[in-house]
Amino acid sequence: DNPALPLNDGAARRHWTRLLGRATAVTAVSRGLLERIARALPSIARRARVVYNGVEDSMFPSRRRPRPRQRAFILCPARLAHYKGIDLLLLAWKDACSSLKGIDLVFCGPDHSQGRLQRFCRLLGLSGRTRFLGAVGRGKMRELMGSCLFAVLASRHESFGVAALEAMAGGKAVLATRTDGPSEVVLHGDTGLLVEPNRVEPLREALLLLGRNSRLRDRLGRQGARRADSFRWEHIAEAYLPLYAAGARS
């Protein structure tokens, strides 16, 4: 259900089965994804292991700089696609925004909805409190991550969700759903908040909690930054070295 990838039809499944069957080792970016691979292809389960995605060093602020004053906002760094739960987040925001005066909801990511989600936003009467920036470059993403109050990912399903890790690296609290990757990267109540996917009410309550409580946001952000440090790519690369070594010996 990822619009950026080809459909996983019968031909693609046969191709992946052959490819995975020949592999010396197989990695998955989350335990949940590994379990799905093992169920679909039991023969490769013993050769598969979890190696998480990493976060690039540039997402960690080198030093704190004073930021220009601007209207406060919550950031959703996600492509506009059904599996990202943008429609659910908009419904939750409709209920929450009236209680969060002076705060906007900002989306950044490519549009795979052909404008349907923007039209849905207008139908909900949220145009004045919601902004769609489209796809942005890495520099702009770092700026948004550094300036937002917190980041929110409302995905219906998510194999990893690197945006959550990038927000943590920037010292921001993360609100995410209990899907594969985010539920393993975000520690509920420690580095962020996790809510059940496909439900509007928990999203609304968590938006209100983080939007109103700056101390909670700051605490979660500080602890998230410490946790994100262990996901730097230099650490992730080390996990691949023994797999390459095993491949060289086979």
Side-chain angles (χ1 to χ4, degrees), residues 96-163:
C97 68
S98 60
S99 299
L100 298 176
K101 303 294 186 183
I103 299 175
D104 291 340
L105 176 62
V106 173
F107 293 92
C108 64
D111 184 7
H112 294 276
S113 76
Q114 290 76 51
R116 288 190 296 271
L117 288 166
Q118 293 93 324
R119 291 193 292 274
F120 184 53
C121 176
R122 291 194 293 270
L123 285 172
L124 293 175
L126 295 174
S127 298
R129 299 289 302 279
T130 308
R131 287 180 277 152
F132 293 88
L133 303 184
V136 300
R138 301 303 292 164
K140 181 63 174 179
M141 178 65 78
R142 288 192 295 272
E143 177 189 327
L144 291 168
M145 288 287 194
S147 303
C148 69
L149 296 179
F150 61 93
V152 55
L153 299 169
S155 306
R156 288 178 163 90
H157 56 86
E158 191 74 67
S159 295
F160 186 76
V162 73

Side-chain angles (χ1 to χ4, degrees), residues 27 34 36 47 62 80 117 146 157 198-199 228 238 250:
T27 64
L34 180 63
R36 294 205 303 275
R47 288 178 284 121
S62 57
L80 303 186
L117 288 166
H157 56 86
N198 291 302
R199 295 184 59 194
E238 290 175 357
S250 63

